[in-house]
Amino acid sequence: MASIMTNSAALTALQSLNATQNNLSTTQARISTGYRVSQASDNAAYWSIATTMRSDNQAMSTVSDSLGLGASKVDTAYTGMNSAITTINAIQQKLTGSYGQTDAAKEKTQVEIAALQQQLKGYADSATFSGTNMLSVATATGTAADVKIVSAFNRSSTGSVTLSTIDVKVESIKLYDSGAAPTAKGILDTARLGTTGAATTTAQAPTLGGPVVAGDTYSVASLAIFSGTTAASDAQISQMMTVVDAALKDMTTAATKLGAAKSSIDLQKTFTQSLMDSIDRGVGQLVDADMNKESTRLQALQVQQQLGVQALSIANGSSQSILSLFRG
């Protein structure tokens, strides 16, 4: 039925053209943004997942920075510890050389030992990075606080967030502790028994040049083979060597702990970067547009749009043919 009130063909062509135009707009948006899901209305579930994972990736980027900062702190402490080990070896050599020497020779050697002791303190005090010093501390009470390095950002299946840390036990690696009341002093300033080299909280100063007394203690930071006009006896020097050797063993253990912490930080940093890359790939699979597919679709829709315009023109033109029925 031909009607001038309702042009069904034109309405159908218009609907088809509008649908094509909407699809074309969607495809053009995907091509211009590079995203198949760029807003919640495109796909609410995928958009929510992608937004959360992007946020987590930004947090992990901060974790990576924290690991880099932590690695620098540990590196600084290790450098100081390594230099201190070299210096304490030199002190051990000076003590060995002074054994059996005259008082005059011991007096000269003491000058060298004192200089090396100052160097040890200088190494420890200088091993500071970003305000953190693990070798020279000042514990008010109890034990020195651990240095905590943020190593991971974790999100559970319920959505709760937690942080993991790599803890460096400063109490076990500190060389000096100038605090008011620490439970234990540092490796170099703690009192050690001359008989075994074991650390003790009960200091008993020896009488320089006198006989060896049970319970005499020495500290690597303050031991002296000559004071005033008196030189240490060979028996006392032997005890000092025992103390220095015990401290050297503790420092070697401390350096090993620092090395292990640095290794853990490096491994975690590599893992964090790999995890961030994996999340980027996963998010991309959810929301990125396939540009090859979209470009092909764009060309097809442009052809459909042209055909739709042509079809609408033809449908509108069909109404004009009714006029010919009324011509005489």
Side-chain angles (χ1 to χ4, degrees):
M1 180 183 70
S3 171
I4 61 171
M5 303 302 296
T6 304
N7 190 336
S8 298
L11 292 176
T12 300
L14 182 60
Q15 289 175 356
S16 177
L17 182 60
N18 286 337
T20 300
Q21 187 62 46
N22 289 336
N23 290 334
L24 185 59
S25 297
T26 299
T27 301
Q28 288 174 332
R30 290 177 179 179
I31 291 175
S32 62
T33 63
Y35 290 116
R36 177 168 58 93
V37 180
S38 60
Q39 52 190 350
S41 59
D42 295 331
N43 187 314
Y46 283 3
W47 181 86
S48 176
I49 293 171
T51 300
T52 300
M53 296 311 297
R54 288 189 185 112
S55 175
D56 289 354
N57 242 17
Q58 290 175 356
M60 281 190 279
S61 177
T62 303
V63 169
S64 183
D65 293 340
S66 175
L67 287 168
L69 179 61
S72 297
K73 292 179 180 179
V74 174
D75 272 342
T76 301
Y78 180 82
T79 299
M81 183 69 73
N82 201 41
S83 297
I85 288 174
T86 301
T87 303
I88 202 171
N89 278 326
I91 291 177
Q92 184 76 296
Q93 292 173 3
K94 298 301 180 184
L95 290 173
T96 303
S98 66
Y99 190 90
Q101 296 296 314
T102 63
D103 288 358
K106 291 177 181 177
E107 181 179 9
K108 294 177 181 178
T109 301
Q110 174 56 35
V111 174
E112 295 178 293
I113 291 175
L116 291 171
Q117 289 169 327
Q118 291 179 354
Q119 191 66 55
L120 283 173
K121 189 67 168 67
Y123 287 147
D125 290 344
S126 299
T128 301
F129 187 91
S130 187
T132 299
N133 190 319
M134 305 184 203
L135 303 185
S136 182
V137 301
T139 306
T141 57
T143 59
D146 296 344
V147 171
K148 295 183 177 294
I149 301 167
V150 177
S151 60
F153 175 89
N154 310 309
R155 185 182 295 276
S156 70
S157 58
T158 61
S160 60
V161 172
T162 58
L163 295 176
S164 299
T165 61
I166 295 175
D167 299 341
V168 181
K169 303 294 183 182
V170 177
E171 183 68 17
S172 64
I173 65 173
K174 63 183 182 180
L175 298 181
Y176 296 90
D177 194 331
S178 59
T183 301
K185 301 291 282 183
I187 294 174
L188 297 181
D189 62 354
T190 191
R192 295 177 179 271
L193 292 171
T195 52
T196 63
T200 178
T201 56
T202 304
Q204 178 178 305
T207 301
L208 206 63
V212 171
V213 179
D216 280 352
T217 59
Y218 302 87
S219 165
V220 175
S222 60
L223 61 80
I225 63 173
F226 193 93
S227 179
T229 58
T230 306
S233 65
D234 287 342
Q236 290 174 328
I237 291 177
S238 179
Q239 287 195 333
M240 293 180 193
M241 292 170 63
T242 299
V243 166
V244 170
D245 186 63
L248 180 59
K249 291 178 181 177
D250 289 346
M251 291 171 69
T252 301
T253 300
T256 301
K257 292 178 179 179
L258 287 171
K262 178 60 167 58
S263 179
S264 296
I265 291 171
D266 288 342
L267 288 173
Q268 188 64 30
K269 189 172 183 180
T270 300
F271 170 74
T272 300
Q273 188 58 57
S274 297
L275 185 59
M276 291 171 62
D277 293 343
S278 297
I279 291 175
D280 281 337
R281 290 193 296 269
V283 171
Q285 291 176 355
L286 288 178
V287 301
D288 287 357
D290 184 339
M291 301 305 287
N292 291 331
K293 179 180 178 180
E294 297 301 333
S295 64
T296 302
R297 181 177 174 82
L298 177 64
Q299 294 179 9
L301 288 170
Q302 286 173 338
V303 172
Q304 291 178 30
Q305 182 186 43
Q306 293 171 8
L307 291 174
V309 171
Q310 187 66 31
L312 182 59
S313 176
I314 293 172
N316 286 332
S318 66
S319 298
Q320 296 294 325
S321 63
I322 296 177
L323 292 176
S324 63
L325 297 176
F326 299 95
R327 291 174 184 168

